[in-house]
Amino acid sequence: MKPEKAGSRLINGDNWIAFSFILPSLLVFAVFMFYPLFYTAYLSFFDWNMIKPVKVFVGWGNYLVLFQDPLTYTVLKNTAAYIAILLLLNCAAPYALAFILSFVIERGLGFYKSAFFLPSVISLVVGSILYLWILNPISGPVALIAKFFGITVPVWSKTQGLVIVVLSLITTWKVFGYNFIVIFGGVAGVPREVIEAARIDNVPLHRIFFDIVLPMSSATGVYILIMTVVQGLQYVFTPIKVITQGGPDNASSNAIYNVYQEAFTLYRTGYASAFAIVAMVLFVILLVLEFRYVEKGVYYEN
Amino acid sequence: MRIEPELKWHILLGCILFLSLMPIVFAVSSSFKELSEAYSNVFGLIPEQPTFNNYLQVFSRLPLVQITANTFLIAAAVTLFKTLTGVLAAYGFVYFDFRGKNILYFILISTIFVPFTVTMIPNYLTVSQLGFRNTVIGVILPQLADATGIFLLRQAMRTIPRSLIEAARIDQAGHLHILGGIVLPLIKPAVVSTGIMFFINSWNEYVWPVLILKDKENYTLPLALQLFISSEGGTDFTIAMAVSVMTMLIPLLLFLIFQRYIISTFTSSGIK
Amino acid sequence: MKKSMVKGICLGLVSMLLLAGCGSQNSTAPAADGKKVRIEYWHVNAETQGGKTVEQLVKDFNAQSKTVEVVARYNPDMYKGLMQNLQAEAATEKSPAVVQIGWAFLDYFSNNFRYVAPQTIIDAHFPQDKTFLQDHFLPNVMGLAKNSRSSQVGLPYSLSTPVLYINRDLLRQAGLDENGPKTWEELIKFANTIKAKTGKYGFYMQEPADNWAQQALMESNGARMMTNGKASFASDEGIRAYEAYADMVVNQKSALHISWGEGVQSFIDGNVGMLYTTIAQRANVQKGATFDAAAVSSPAWQGKAKRLPAGGCFLAITAQTEAEQKAAWEFTKFLYSVESMAAWTKGTGYVPPRKDVAEAENGLKSFLAENKMMAAATSQMDGVVSWTSFPGDAGLQAEQLLLDVRDRILSGSISAREGLTQTQTKINELLK
């Protein structure tokens, strides 16, 4: 049952009041979101570099080039890889951690919560510079320790695939704490008695997690799921820009970085706009799918 | 419960914690080293020859108080405005029914997916035309178009039992009354946690301010960091770390002071 | 309960007012002195790369000028970042007066932005400076700032060349000549020996988001990045030079393939024996290294002449009004005085682009005598050539293709021959 439907039965016919509540947001969105979006969509039909006096109309030209360029598919594939890794590290992992903290251990809860949250207040620019130094495969502390054990650290910033994993890890360092705390809120909301009862019945931990905790905290879970995909990809932008600039050979570029690269390094404004629009459409499809299939099964408390 | 079965979990948690906190310790330690020691004594957490030189350099080169104030002002204004409009819009979406509501909501929420690179160029033009280049307002304005607040707060409002609202409506209570007197107190944790997230994000905002702010007096802290990093001239790592430490300082302090409150509101902010 | 709402709204309003106050304070602050023409100078010099010197020069200029006030504006992310900002500024139809333009952007800049050649301003307003440029610049240096249509876009300002930094302690340890290699052939042997004797890496060549150092390697072997407006680097000479470099990385594993920052870090903390990068890194190397570090001139290929692309930037005048253009020239001329040039070299490590600075008493005489690393760069200026900037709208894309293929060759996923040949074909298609 959807609570908002219930609400709507209560208050009806006050359209103008409703709008006055939403209006402040709408105004800001109109100027700084919808107008730029339309403008970008408009630009995607032109060949332009932002400063040439003449914009050359090319129709669907940019889109045609885009779909024929193998780079587009590399970038989309990378984007999917980032999403998968980020979901694992920033959605699944904090979920498991929240579960352990709420129901498995009893000591040090307060300390753990604060400590895990701590890095999430720190800027990713700072994090990227730090990690570039710490993870230097030749002479960083991690490499030196590995060397002591006879392990050679691969040059991750120049290794296909691995570079995406490491950049995701750096992003995780920043995002994990916040996601963890929010999920913890959801997980801790599962009534203790239910868990205790299950434990008395000797239900194994992983069953408790999947059969009880996960479904009962699914609303929070869905929120973090969306946020991981959306914000994760935007966050990854910073380490990409600071550390690899999309390299090696575009192996670490994602949809968001590629738009930036095309627009602000190569100055192909029209093409970048087309790419941005395609990326957006893909994201919106993701969102629709999410609304369709995931939210259906979500458990709301009342 | 006996301690023994818990111990293995504590070891696991301890390892994760070590990994996530080590970089911070490393940054602080490096900021008190000379550059040559940062290179030669990577593992020494306590510098052999501790120095304040990096901090002194930063203070003498930059109007730090002003820069910190700018960063704070921007983050505070963004937080206030976004939370306020978010609460209002969420209320409008949850407690009213009007034609096109779901579509409007969907469109607004979809904008969460709009990469900031898409809106960057037109927004730069808009901000310039309004005459806000090189001002804090220019940094603030485009940040306000963010639907995460509406999404989060709507989710929170949906958890309020409808009987409460029903009763208030029967008593002929006005909407502002219901919002201020019933809804807000009930979703306070969600409001606070949303606000904290806004604050942190805005504090650390980087790409947009780089484009807008030109003068050092108008800089924010993440931009000040950029001054000490140059690909061609090399990065002065220890000074960069000193700026980094100062960039982290205020959010960390705020967090440490209010940690009880923050953690407990987050814990009760879970969307149920 | 209404009270808390009202309180909230008030708080919001107050903060808005506060903001508005701040904003107007910032946006409407006019020049303090109404008589002075106020112009902007855009530079890329971070604090670690001469930022202090820029400020000092601007301060000195403002102190002595009665008519002009210069505001220096730092642009993060090097010349690329500056171009981005300039691009955004141009979109609003505004423009600074004097800007630093990276050599790689020479053609892009001159095709897309409005600028005035310095000589034009001189001829119109400053008859006394008529021969300033002829008198103080070498023709080959002036030529660096000419675009593909041979028009003089600006004045060379920051000149850097690649040099070879060596870790003498490590060379000695490996039983090698502590003065470093003279040729690329020797360098390859040195690198392999260091790897074999010490287990450390022998060599790292800078890999930033440009092809500068690799151009030096290829052109010194007789290749040309471009011939008659067409990419031509995939000649036999170019390919063989690249093959030798790739062989060190891919097969011998005596050279590193890593990002610039990481590579420099690894040299400074003693894990790499030789570093091929810009002279602008001198201060960074000197400050961080705890071993016996030295810089020697760029190696040559056996029996061939060095061709080293000039790095750094030129100054372009983008002022739009006549008053601003005059002010811009006044400031530019100040920057090219012997004293200013000397300060610039001391602060940045760039080689002075004008004559008579190195030997002058009020110039760099004593500085160069003390600072041996600089000699590596100043002694190789006769080999300086233009940094190739591919012409036309697709020029920047062409450069990007070279970076992509560099990654592929050095990771061993494609041979130098195949990679360079393919890329040359692609670039020539783009340039059509």
Side-chain angles (χ1 to χ4, degrees), chain C residues 360-372:
Chain C
E361 293 292 343
N362 61 347
L364 291 169
K365 200 173 174 199
S366 57
F367 176 75
L368 290 179
E370 280 164 31
N371 218 303
K372 293 282 184 305

Side-chain angles (χ1 to χ4, degrees), chain B residues 133-144:
Chain B
R133 241 169 348 144
N134 201 13
T135 68
V136 284
I137 295 189
V139 179
I140 292 169
L141 282 176
Q143 287 189 49
L144 302 180

Side-chain angles (χ1 to χ4, degrees), chain B residues 36 39 61 77 81 124-125 128 133-134 140 181 214-216 218-219 226-228 230-234 236, chain C residues 16 19 26 46-49 52 55 73-74 76 78 88-89 91-92 94 260 268 281 284 287-288 350:
Chain B
S36 51
Y39 278 109
R61 304 291 304 141
F81 188 91
Y124 185 84
L125 298 178
S128 304
R133 241 169 348 144
N134 201 13
I140 292 169
K214 313 267 189 228
D215 290 332
K216 276 186 191 165
N218 293 340
Y219 268 15
Q226 184 72 38
L227 280 170
F228 296 95
S230 151
S231 48
E232 196 168 332
D236 201 322
Chain C
M16 285 302 166
L19 278 172
N26 287 332
E47 297 292 307
T48 52
Q49 200 203 341
K52 276 182 214 175
E55 265 174 34
R73 287 211 160 133
Y74 166 71
M78 293 306 294
E89 192 85 346
T92 65
K94 287 192 182 115
W260 196 7
I268 295 180
Q281 290 269 359
N284 190 30
K287 201 173 164 197
Y350 288 119

Side-chain angles (χ1 to χ4, degrees), chain C residues 196-259:
Chain C
K197 292 268 172 70
T198 66
K200 297 193 169 170
Y201 283 96
F203 178 63
Y204 171 71
M205 180 188 282
Q206 69 167 48
E207 294 179 35
D210 64 54
N211 200 47
W212 187 61
Q214 285 72 21
Q215 179 181 337
L217 176 88
M218 292 161 86
E219 292 217 339
S220 291
N221 198 33
R224 294 291 176 269
M225 295 306 288
M226 237 180 2
T227 316
N228 301 327
K230 292 251 152 237
S232 59
F233 50 83
S235 61
D236 251 9
E237 291 96 342
I239 288 169
R240 272 202 302 271
Y242 224 110
E243 271 170 353
Y245 166 42
D247 182 60
M248 280 195 276
V249 175
V250 180
N251 301 324
Q252 311 292 335
K253 310 231 181 292
S254 60
L256 259 176
H257 169 46
I258 203 167
S259 73

